[in-house]
Amino acid sequence: MRRLPLSLAVAILSAFVTAQADTPKAARPNFLLIIADDCTWSDMEIHGGQGKTPNLKKLAAQGMQFDQCFQAAPMCSPTRHALYTGLYPVKSGAWPNHTMAYDWVKSVAHYLQSAGYRTHLSGKTHIRPKKVFPFEYSKLGGKKPVAVDRFLGECASEDTPFMVIAASNEPHSPWNKGDASAYPPAEIDLPPVLADTARTRELFSAYLAEVTYFDEQVGALLALLDKHKLTENTLVVVLSEQGNAFPFAKWTCYDAGLRSAMLTRWPGRIEAGSRSSALVEYVDVVPTLLAAAGLARPEILDGRSFLSVLEGKAKTHKEFVFGLQTSKGIHACKRHYGIRSVRDGRYRYILNLTPEIPFQNTVIESGNKFAWASWKAAAAEGDSNAVRLIHDYQHRPAVELFDCTQDPWNRFNLIEDPDLADVARRLRAQLDQWMKAQGDQGQATELAAKTRQGRRRNKK
């Protein structure tokens, strides 16, 4: 990768120094960002899913629910790097999983600390290096977030503005928390992308229990705001992260992999019970928080503030959202398999860089941990749906186009439809433009993924 140009480095420093505004310290809002781990957005009750989420339902009634929120990568580490930096993965250097940002990158911790905020990340990290993410750190502690409780108490007594990121480990596998008996395997409905086997039902039941467990964590965190009398001046954002670890969600650029739930609450600023269909991305969160705090947006950021949407002053935000999957370096991936994607309000275009190579990951290699072995057994016994799903998960065409309104699970490839040729060309042009702007060289970038996963701190 090229060394950061001097002019760009100066711009970053200048933006960092001048990001402070004249907003009085006491008038600045606090921020509570709560993020799930491997949770498909449509599995949550707030989006019509089976996972009971009473605390999130209550939060939705108090604030704004987003129906079209997306992240830039369907894996934990690049997702979190993008969320905390406001930069897409290739620009920041954090595009594979278990990755790290370039040393020159700044995160929301830098921007808010320069304005007098304390910043605290409690729970899952999956981000590097520490100099890019200079948060105070702690363990989240299940449904009793003691460290967050203590931190909020300190900020309340000292009248110090804060940002807390509460990063849950749920519902990431293994699914062993929550009450699975609330979801009898024989009674649940399986998504159409999952083969109907006893093992699939057993695991999906346990997964839904952890969705509810995460909801209980959300309730505990919101109760702490009430306890310390911080609710009225705190902007709350709850995100579901990328899709679950079953096939066709995490590790893919289908909607189930890149789409996210987002709930926001800010008493007096966000209309209670409101809902937005605006296209927003995780990279937009940092500039939105900065705008809410009265701070300038650093020019280096890829994201743009959607504060006007939160405040009901705008109904739209972006025309396109982007995503990528880098499989080189993920668990049990024996060969590289890069994916790039762009989506507008209706259609998703996917570019598979090496369609001649079967896709592989831990789902396929781990036997029945994610029910794959049971799928293969069902296919061997003549289950045609299992046969089709197994084939489609591992073998994909070079280009895919989906109507996400009519086909939310992205199962019917429309790339050969002559009536959608203009749609495909328009989306491909946007994808090519985005990749060029990000310095994404496609296959060359994929093959360089290992350089972003080692211990060496690459400054270039």
Side-chain angles (χ1 to χ4, degrees):
M1 304 297 289
R2 298 191 305 272
R3 185 179 298 277
L4 188 67
L6 178 60
S7 60
L8 183 55
V10 171
I12 294 170
L13 179 61
S14 175
F16 177 56
V17 172
T18 61
Q20 301 182 48
D22 295 329
T23 309
K25 176 180 175 181
R28 289 182 178 164
N30 306 308
F31 303 113
L32 172 59
L33 174 62
I34 306 173
I35 182 169
D37 193 3
D38 287 8
C39 181
T40 302
W41 68 281
S42 58
D43 291 329
M44 290 178 155
E45 185 181 18
I46 55 171
H47 284 289
Q50 299 169 89
K52 300 299 181 182
T53 54
N55 292 295
L56 292 178
K57 283 184 65 177
K58 181 179 178 181
L59 184 66
Q62 297 170 337
M64 178 177 287
Q65 178 173 329
F66 283 80
D67 291 327
Q68 296 205 89
C69 174
F70 298 86
Q71 59 232 358
M75 298 186 297
C76 298
S77 190
T79 283
R80 290 158 195 265
H81 281 82
L83 176 62
Y84 304 153
T85 66
L87 301 175
Y88 289 121
V90 173
K91 180 189 284 188
S92 74
W95 69 90
N97 209 14
H98 310 286
T99 186
M100 57 187 175
Y102 295 124
D103 285 350
W104 58 263
V105 172
K106 301 295 182 185
S107 70
V108 66
H110 292 99
Y111 302 131
L112 291 180
Q113 287 172 14
S114 71
Y117 278 74
R118 286 182 67 181
T119 61
H120 187 105
L121 195 163
S122 187
K124 183 169 181 173
T125 53
H126 233 326
I127 48 177
R128 293 189 298 161
K130 283 288 183 70
K131 66 173 292 185
V132 174
F133 304 98
F135 296 104
E136 302 174 41
Y137 289 91
S138 69
K139 294 183 178 180
L140 188 56
K143 290 184 285 186
K144 294 183 179 180
V146 176
V148 174
D149 187 2
R150 182 170 57 249
F151 176 82
L152 293 179
E154 293 171 359
C155 291
S157 64
E158 298 167 1
D159 195 24
T160 301
F162 63 82
M163 177 182 190
V164 169
I165 299 174
S168 175
N169 280 107
E170 281 69 55
H172 192 292
S173 63
W175 299 299
N176 54 14
K177 295 183 176 67
D179 180 13
S181 68
Y183 301 96
E187 298 177 14
I188 59 177
D189 296 322
L190 291 178
V193 292
L194 299 186
D196 193 347
T197 68
R199 180 59 174 165
T200 303
R201 288 183 169 276
E202 175 191 3
L203 292 175
F204 203 76
S205 167
Y207 157 72
L208 290 174
E210 284 214 359
V211 172
T212 299
Y213 185 91
F214 168 72
D215 180 79
E216 293 171 350
Q217 291 178 311
V218 173
L221 290 160
L222 296 178
L224 291 180
L225 293 180
D226 293 338
K227 172 183 176 180
H228 296 290
K229 297 179 172 56
L230 295 166
T231 299
E232 294 303 311
N233 194 38
T234 300
L235 169 56
V236 176
V237 180
V238 180
L239 301 168
S240 65
E241 210 203 33
Q242 72 270 333
N244 61 43
F246 290 98
F248 295 99
K250 184 179 181 180
W251 301 294
T252 79
C253 284
Y254 301 123
D255 252 32
L258 290 173
R259 195 165 177 175
S260 173
M262 177 192 280
L263 292 177
T264 61
R265 183 186 73 184
W266 192 4
R269 299 291 292 273
I270 295 176
E271 180 183 357
S274 56
R275 199 155 183 164
S276 175
S277 59
L279 285 173
V280 298
E281 297 180 280
Y282 276 24
V283 292
D284 298 326
V285 171
V286 167
T288 300
L289 300 185
L290 296 182
L295 304 176
R297 171 188 175 275
E299 292 185 8
I300 187 65
L301 297 189
D302 289 319
R304 296 188 291 108
S305 169
F306 55 87
L307 182 61
S308 60
V309 175
L310 293 178
E311 295 181 328
K313 299 175 182 178
K315 293 186 177 181
T316 61
H317 181 58
K318 285 181 169 178
E319 188 175 359
F320 304 100
V321 294
F322 302 92
L324 78 165
Q325 162 68 20
T326 293
S327 297
K328 190 173 181 64
I330 67 173
H331 295 314
C333 180
K334 298 177 181 178
R335 302 181 71 179
H336 48 79
Y337 197 99
I339 310 171
R340 303 293 186 267
S341 182
V342 58
R343 189 193 194 278
D344 63 13
R346 180 171 180 175
Y347 295 99
R348 176 172 293 285
Y349 181 98
I350 295 177
L351 175 65
N352 296 303
L353 299 179
T354 53
E356 70 279 5
I357 297 175
F359 177 75
Q360 291 177 300
N361 66 0
T362 189
V363 169
I364 296 167
E365 297 294 323
S366 60
N368 244 353
K369 180 179 179 181
F370 300 104
W372 189 259
S374 73
W375 289 26
K376 294 186 71 174
E381 294 173 1
D383 185 330
S384 60
N385 187 48
V387 171
R388 179 177 56 87
L389 291 171
I390 289 171
H391 174 273
D392 291 354
Y393 189 58
Q394 293 192 270
H395 302 279
R396 306 171 195 177
V399 183
E400 299 172 274
L401 179 67
F402 301 102
D403 182 339
C404 298
T405 301
Q406 300 296 322
D407 176 24
W409 292 99
N410 298 171
R411 297 298 297 133
F412 303 101
N413 187 7
L414 304 175
I415 195 62
E416 300 297 336
D417 188 336
D419 293 336
L420 296 176
D422 288 342
V423 172
R425 281 193 291 268
R426 177 171 58 91
L427 291 176
R428 180 57 183 266
Q430 290 295 326
L431 182 60
D432 289 344
Q433 180 180 326
W434 177 68
M435 290 176 64
K436 182 177 180 181
Q438 290 292 306
D440 184 350
Q441 300 174 40
Q443 188 65 357
T445 297
E446 290 301 296
L447 295 176
K450 286 283 191 178
T451 67
R452 305 307 312 148
Q453 295 179 302
R455 295 181 178 275
R456 181 173 61 90
R457 295 291 184 260
N458 189 339
K459 298 182 180 180
K460 295 184 180 181

